Amino acid sequence: MGFRTSRGVSVDEALRMVLTLPEVEQRLHGNHLGFRVRDRGFAYLCEDDWTMLVKTSREEQAALVEDDPRAYKKSRASGRVGWVQVRLRKAHEDELCDLITEAWRMTAPRPIVARLDLALR
């Protein structure tokens, strides 16, 4: 998986990772803070227990859980989409940032993703 940072991501760090992405909106869902792009959810944060649900492919979900079961737990799945529960205190910052960004890319409309890619060049 490449270079890994030390373990442990704070709720504030996770929020910062999500909110730097274009057109992200927040909505409260019970005790979870949901993150959406164009009204489609891609991540949910539970501050109470320092966990985050992140959209991913079922293949990536299986790989994450197998590679690091202390940080990742299989959550619900639907079709080709799976969700992984991330234990923030056990996660690596760089991996979580990549996971959140990929969840956003899976969810955002292509023109928005293309604008981000252009801005990153």
Side-chain angles (χ1 to χ4, degrees):
M1 289 235 170
F3 176 74
R4 286 185 168 180
T5 56
S6 61
R7 285 191 187 267
V9 177
S10 73
V11 168
D12 288 340
E13 289 168 325
L15 276 170
R16 203 171 9 255
M17 290 175 196
V18 174
L19 296 177
T20 60
L21 296 166
E23 297 193 33
V24 172
E25 297 177 356
Q26 300 177 58
R27 289 191 189 156
L28 196 56
H29 294 275
N31 66 337
H32 287 79
L33 187 57
F35 302 99
R36 305 173 79 72
V37 57
R38 295 281 172 100
D39 209 33
R40 295 175 63 202
F42 67 94
Y44 297 86
L45 176 66
C46 183
E47 293 182 60
D48 294 346
D49 65 2
W50 281 50
T51 60
M52 188 172 216
L53 291 175
V54 182
K55 184 186 220 178
T56 189
S57 69
R58 294 181 104 185
E59 295 79 17
E60 182 70 11
Q61 177 194 56
L64 287 165
V65 171
E66 183 177 323
D67 183 52
D68 194 354
R70 293 185 306 163
Y72 303 104
K73 179 180 172 186
K74 184 178 177 181
S75 192
R76 60 192 175 141
S78 175
R80 63 181 177 73
V81 176
W83 290 78
V84 66
Q85 181 185 44
V86 182
R87 294 174 188 98
L88 296 178
R89 289 184 174 107
K90 302 290 184 183
H92 292 279
E93 183 179 351
D94 56 340
E95 278 184 347
L96 181 60
C97 189
D98 289 347
L99 186 62
I100 290 169
T101 301
E102 285 309 307
W104 177 87
R105 285 178 179 281
M106 287 176 65
T107 308
R110 288 184 183 155
I112 297 172
V113 174
R115 282 198 313 261
L116 177 64
D117 290 342
L118 188 61
L120 294 176
R121 287 185 186 179

